[in-house]
Amino acid sequence: MTTSVNATAYPHSSVDAVMSEYGYLAEIRMKPYFMRANVSYPPKEVVLLATKEEKALELWARSEGEFKFIRSYPISKASGVSGPKLKEGDRQVPEGMYRITHLNPNSQFHLSMRLDYPNSYDLMRAAKEGRRNLGGIFIFMAKHSLRVA
């Protein structure tokens, strides 16, 4: 993302208000990636694949059929080391495929997205291992960086 939202200028924005302000610009920037992947814009579904070793966040999407790779973003800041997130507060970033479940239009960052961590696979593993309090994950995009927390 190349533009930044001043959080104090939009202290009580809704997702619809931010979309009306920036949706067109996002479409101009993103639509060519979707066209190259032969996925309609906006897609029906989007998933993110985060990998720590490669320090990358991949965007995958589909309109129908199989998910297709759209593009990759370098991760500039993330806590933890290689390996799964096991519990809240372990400062680990989960590795796997996650869906965006919530957008925060009042974030101090350009874009703030809540992911569906823990997903059903994470919950199943935690139950088998007797773990609780898995925590949650947000992705923040600033002017020139991506941060996972």
Side-chain angles (χ1 to χ4, degrees):
M1 302 286 165
T2 58
T3 60
S4 168
V5 174
N6 180 344
T8 58
Y10 303 97
H12 301 292
S13 292
S14 68
V15 171
D16 288 338
V18 173
M19 284 299 296
S20 68
E21 177 95 16
Y22 293 99
Y24 178 71
L25 295 172
E27 182 175 350
I28 289 170
R29 283 194 306 266
M30 295 302 297
K31 199 170 186 177
Y33 294 102
F34 285 85
M35 289 175 64
R36 280 194 287 273
N38 200 24
V39 176
S40 65
Y41 186 92
K44 288 184 183 176
E45 288 187 87
V46 170
V47 294
L48 301 169
L49 174 64
T51 57
K52 283 188 228 163
E53 224 172 278
E54 292 82 7
K55 293 187 178 182
L57 181 73
E58 293 181 356
L59 171 63
W60 292 72
R62 70 178 172 185
S63 294
E64 48 190 59
E66 306 250 336
F67 279 97
K68 295 183 180 178
F69 175 78
I70 305 300
R71 70 173 298 187
S72 181
Y73 296 91
I75 296 175
S76 63
K77 294 181 183 180
S79 61
V81 295
S82 290
K85 179 169 184 60
L86 299 175
K87 63 182 180 177
E88 184 173 15
D90 66 4
R91 309 216 23 99
Q92 285 289 95
V93 174
E95 293 179 340
M97 296 195 75
Y98 298 96
R99 287 182 166 77
I100 298 167
T101 61
H102 176 79
L103 298 175
N104 177 3
N106 298 301
S107 172
Q108 67 181 358
F109 296 94
H110 176 66
L111 184 61
S112 173
M113 303 170 284
R114 171 106 169 62
L115 302 185
D116 70 341
Y117 173 84
N119 61 23
S120 59
Y121 177 77
D122 298 313
L123 293 169
M124 177 197 66
R125 278 196 62 198
K128 282 183 177 180
E129 297 168 6
R131 292 185 284 112
R132 298 172 192 246
N133 303 324
L134 303 181
I137 296 295
F138 271 87
I139 294 176
F140 307 103
M141 295 184 103
K143 187 172 183 179
H144 293 291
S145 66
L146 174 65
R147 184 173 176 202
V148 183

